[in-house]
Amino acid sequence: MRTYIGGQEAVSVDEFIELALGTPLELWLGEEGETEEERAARLDAARDILAENPDLPDDVSRVAAQVIEANAPELFNVIPLTRRPAGRRAARKGAAA
């Protein structure tokens, strides 16, 4: 199954998120080993984007909810654990010391 966002095909989960957000994922999560200066610049850019797009958090939440809804059977494939009947214990063999 192919996934398209805005006419572009998303070939990986990260690419899907980037296309849905309209920004690189690293902008919001940061990158390992970034300096304090790089972090400050990244956070400034994120603030600017949020200031220009005040509906972005709501849009992201809506997209996330749609993805969860579309994939709920796979995401929530829970198998109940079975219990042994109460009062029955496994018999032990051998002599007590």
Side-chain angles (χ1 to χ4, degrees):
M1 183 171 114
R2 295 179 182 207
T3 303
Y4 291 89
I5 297 177
Q8 293 185 334
E9 182 180 5
V11 294
S12 69
V13 172
D14 288 344
E15 194 170 285
F16 173 84
I17 294 169
E18 185 173 331
L19 289 170
L21 291 174
T23 62
L25 188 58
E26 292 80 16
L27 176 68
W28 307 103
L29 301 180
E31 292 189 57
E32 192 173 321
E34 71 182 358
T35 66
E36 284 299 316
E37 187 175 280
E38 291 170 331
R39 182 177 188 271
R42 178 178 57 79
L43 293 176
D44 283 343
R47 278 190 213 86
D48 290 344
I49 289 170
L50 288 173
E52 292 173 8
N53 302 290
D55 294 332
L56 183 62
D58 292 336
D59 294 342
V60 170
S61 298
R62 184 176 26 77
V63 169
Q66 290 171 346
V67 170
I68 290 170
E69 182 180 9
N71 296 292
E74 294 86 19
L75 292 173
F76 301 108
N77 187 11
V78 179
I79 300 171
L81 299 175
T82 58
R83 292 185 175 181
R84 281 195 245 166
R88 292 188 84 186
R89 296 184 72 180
R92 295 185 181 192
K93 295 183 180 180

